Amino acid sequence: MDETNWLWLGTLGMIGGSILLFLAGGKRTQDEEGHTIAHGLVPLFAAISYFAMARHQGQVTLPSGRVFLYARYLDWSITTPVLLLGLSMTALHGAHRRAGLIAGLLASDVVMIVTGLFFGMSEDPFNKWVWYITSCAAFLAVYYVLFGPLREEAQARDSERRSAYNRNVGILAVLWLLYPVIVILGPDGLEFWSATFATACITLLDLTAKVIYGFISMGGSKTITSSDVSRGEVSAAEISTHSVPSEAPVPGAAMPGDARQPARVV
Ligand code: RET
């Protein structure tokens, strides 16, 4: 298969994945509905970029003659924050709190992608390495939040949220780590691999990180919703109107079902 065929495979795979995710997703509660919309939209955004690249758009020929596919970075600048937001919502019990932490996580992610874009566009080796290292530093900040404060938040939740977070963060961390490795070995980096091989690897990785991961994360959200319902934390009326309370809880207070319950005054 040549590079364009891989890009078509990416386009069709993302469109098909998006349709399946929307069809399979639930909408019994705000959490479940949010996961369905997020995971359904992520491959749809990616399909836009794959289609553009398959039609030889979203790319630029640099003075050295290297063809740089910048459309990927447009895709990643939208899809990676959405994926991180979904994971954060699992850790935080869907509540709108710790806004600064989440803003920091998303800002680090955007810095990672934007500096990665400059890395890809660089021809001068000094520029290239400075951008690559900066992007990796921002990537480390993303890992720090996921495995530090957010993991701590998740451990204080009920067992379904805890295990969904632990599983999702583990899969996400391994898959995401492959991107800088594949890219640095491809034509935009050290040129060990051909453009076709690098595109094939990124297409398969993108399908896994967006569609397969989407199904896993959505499955976790469905399990969480079912157990919230069976514990009676979501009433039938709330389910029918999707109106699970989303107001911020009192700081330090546990949400229903959390492992960390507030101390009782005796
Ligand atoms: C780049 C190159 C510079 C160094 C680093 C990178 C990381 C990219 C990542 C991309 C993840 C994309 C995903 C898309 C799926 O929706 C920009 C390749 C650190 C982590 C998960």
Side-chain angles (χ1 to χ4, degrees):
M1 286 225 290
D2 69 13
E3 192 179 9
T4 307
N5 289 335
W6 280 106
L7 294 168
W8 278 118
L9 180 86
T11 310
L12 297 178
M14 292 298 178
I15 293 173
S18 170
I19 293 170
L20 292 177
L21 281 159
F22 272 121
L23 288 177
K27 49 182 169 56
R28 286 173 293 172
T29 62
Q30 289 190 13
D31 180 83
E32 212 179 47
E33 186 180 55
H35 275 86
T36 302
I37 293 171
H39 290 301
L41 283 180
V42 160
L44 211 52
F45 279 123
I48 295 170
S49 126
Y50 272 93
F51 178 72
M53 293 188 290
R55 298 297 302 147
H56 306 295
Q57 294 181 296
Q59 62 178 44
V60 59
T61 305
L62 299 173
S64 65
R66 172 166 65 92
V67 176
F68 173 59
L69 303 174
Y70 64 82
R72 286 192 193 300
Y73 292 81
L74 298 181
D75 158 2
W76 295 345
S77 67
I78 294 171
T79 55
T80 55
V82 174
L83 291 170
L84 291 175
L85 212 49
L87 194 55
S88 311
M89 289 300 106
T90 302
L92 295 171
H93 205 137
H96 303 153
R97 29 191 205 94
R98 301 208 70 177
L101 184 71
I102 304 307
L105 173 68
L106 300 187
S108 307
D109 178 65
V110 171
V111 169
M112 174 184 87
I113 301 299
V114 171
T115 53
L117 171 70
F118 282 112
F119 149 78
M121 284 189 323
S122 301
E123 301 244 64
D124 175 82
F126 175 78
N127 291 348
K128 201 180 246 318
W129 285 108
V130 168
W131 287 125
Y132 187 80
I133 292 166
T134 311
S135 178
C136 288
F139 194 21
L140 284 180
V142 170
Y143 272 14
Y144 166 75
V145 177
L146 295 183
F147 287 100
L150 268 190
R151 191 169 176 280
E152 212 172 283
E153 283 280 354
Q155 303 320 301
R157 307 274 87 84
D158 55 80
S159 68
E160 291 81 18
R161 281 183 174 79
R162 199 161 54 228
S163 64
Y165 183 85
N166 291 342
R167 184 183 55 245
N168 293 352
V169 79
I171 298 171
L172 184 140
V174 172
L175 290 174
W176 287 35
L177 197 57
L178 297 174
Y179 283 89
V181 176
I182 292 173
V183 169
I184 199 66
L185 295 175
D188 296 342
L190 300 168
E191 297 176 81
F192 283 142
W193 291 342
S194 69
T196 304
F197 187 73
T199 293
C201 290
I202 295 180
T203 304
L204 296 176
L205 184 56
D206 262 347
L207 285 167
T208 312
K210 292 173 164 88
V211 179
I212 297 179
Y213 173 81
F215 273 104
I216 296 171
S217 166
M218 225 167 60
S221 165
K222 284 182 146 186
T223 310
I224 288 169
T225 303
S226 298
S227 57
D228 281 353
V229 170
S230 67
R231 271 199 296 262
E233 285 169 13
V234 182
S235 71
E238 282 171 335
I239 291 170
S240 65
T241 58
H242 305 176
S243 61
V244 176
S246 61
E247 70 273 12
V250 179
M255 300 289 283
D258 282 359
R260 186 181 58 189
Q261 294 293 337
R264 283 182 53 205
V265 181
V266 283

